[in-house]
């Protein structure tokens, strides 16, 4: 079975084809991602209207490219999977409208996919071209997933496909959002995750002592206190008080201070993620642990998690951690095994739907 995935929930226009191989898991046949990072970088973050307009411009060529890279025609495609939630409304509308139209015109079953849940399914793709290193095998249930992206930070226990429980989440900022905001404070380019990781290589992670927050629910996260602690420390180093305009702060830091802030922040944010994940691992005894979402591309997170948890962890290729459509197609495959497709004429977007069991029941 071959599934075409389509993803436009934020600032990447993506399409991919994934095929089931039976025993071996899922095979990646193509993975096209048209990034808008350059367009948004000049504003220091994603501008929703600009994102939607860019999706309109490239959605058709991106879908065609995914088919041709996979060396398939429409006749070979068995189903279409598309992100319908959550995300920017204008962006979601473009992808779902394209998928609904294609499902009708090409007469293909359509599966609506929850973007955050789909991030976990990057870990179910085990075969593909030569350029990516895939996990040797698929994860097993019960599966503990640490989902860390620009909009989400949560721990989810999967008992099976479509059967999961949210056991912890952030009460304020997502960890990716904290990377992005701290990068802005210390004067590193957007997106903040990769630029902080790079700057941190030159920095001293112990130079600045930053706080780790403790919450009532032992599996919950909080990152806004950490972000504020970085802001206050930067103000102290710059010799200014809290009334000083924050957009002028970065210019007062030396390069070495910038690297040290990046390294100290990254270390604290990652320790926070690992402390909570380790606690959940002890209490729930899952068979597999995966990390998912853009922050899962972070090397320090991978190294530290592997050394702290008493189990072997397999990691998805970096390219499938940040937003892509392969993960959408992968989850689409498992939905196609278990539920009826949705009527393309009735599919609506759900921009703020969090990860609940209703995500499958459209
Ligand atoms: O999953 P994703 O591509 O988009 C969302 O659904 O949010 O995640 C994007 C987030 C951004 O906040 C970005 O700064 C972060 O992932 N990110 C990273 C790294 N690469 C991307 N954070 C830390 N280290 C990285 N290497
Ligand atoms: Zn994402």
């Amino acid at each position: 079975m071959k599934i075409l995935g389509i993803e436009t929930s934020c600032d990447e226009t993506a399409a991919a084809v994934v095929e089931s191989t039976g025993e071996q898991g899922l095979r990646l046949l193509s993975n096209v991602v048209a990034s808008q990072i350059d367009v948004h970088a000049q504003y220091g973050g994603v501008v929703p209207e600009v994102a939607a307009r860019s999706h309109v411009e490239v959605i058709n060529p991106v879908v065609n490219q995914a088919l041709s890279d996979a060396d398939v025609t429409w006749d070979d495609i068995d189903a279409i999977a598309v992100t319908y939630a959550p995300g920017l409304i204008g962006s979601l509308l473009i992808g779902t409208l394209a998928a609904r139209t294609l499902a009708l015109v090409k007469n293909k079953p359509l599966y609506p996919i929850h973007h955050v849940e789909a991030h976990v399914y990057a870990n179910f793709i085990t075969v593909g071209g030569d350029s990516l290193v895939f996990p040797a095998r698929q994860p097993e249930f019960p599966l503990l997933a640490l989902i860390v992206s620009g909009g989400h930070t949560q721990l989810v226990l999967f008992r099976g496909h479509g059967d999961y429980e949210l056991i912890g989440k952030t009460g304020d900022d997502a960890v990716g959002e904290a990377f992005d905001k701290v990068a802005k404070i210390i004067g590193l380019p957007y997106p903040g995750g990769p630029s902080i990781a790079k700057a941190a290589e030159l920095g001293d992670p112990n130079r600045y002592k930053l706080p780790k927050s403790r919450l009532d629910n032992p599996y919950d996260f909080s990152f806004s206190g950490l972000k504020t602690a970085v802001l206050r420390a930067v103000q102290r180093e710059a010799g200014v008080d809290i009334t000083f305009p924050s957009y002028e702060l970065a210019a007062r830091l030396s390069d070495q201070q910038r690297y040290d802030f990046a390294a100290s922040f990254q270390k604290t944010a990652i320790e926070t993620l690992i402390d909570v994940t380790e606690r959940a691992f002890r209490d729930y005894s899952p068979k597999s642990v995966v990390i998912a979402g853009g922050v899962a591309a972070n090397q320090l997170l991978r190294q530290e998690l592997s050394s702290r948890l008493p189990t072997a962890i397999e990691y998805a290729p970096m390219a499938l951690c940040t937003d892509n459509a392969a993960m959408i197609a992968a989850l689409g495959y498992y939905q196609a095994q278990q539920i009826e497709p949705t009527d393309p004429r009735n599919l609506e977007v759900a921009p703020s739907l969090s990860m609940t069991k209703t995500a499958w029941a459209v």
Side-chain angles (χ1 to χ4, degrees), residues 12 115 119 148-152 176-177 179-180 191-194 197 266 293-295 297-299 321-323:
E12 322 276 5
H115 175 95
H119 266 298
V148 280
S149 73
H152 296 267
E177 189 181 353
F179 269 87
D180 295 337
Q266 178 177 247
V295 183
N298 188 282
Q299 285 294 356
C321 289
T322 46
D323 287 349

Side-chain angles (χ1 to χ4, degrees), residues 35 67 113 117 156 161 169 182 213 238 246 252 254 303:
S35 172
L67 294 177
I113 302 294
E117 184 185 353
V156 183
H161 297 295
K169 59 182 187 326
V182 166
S213 44
S246 57
R252 297 207 162 203
S254 68
Q303 284 157 16

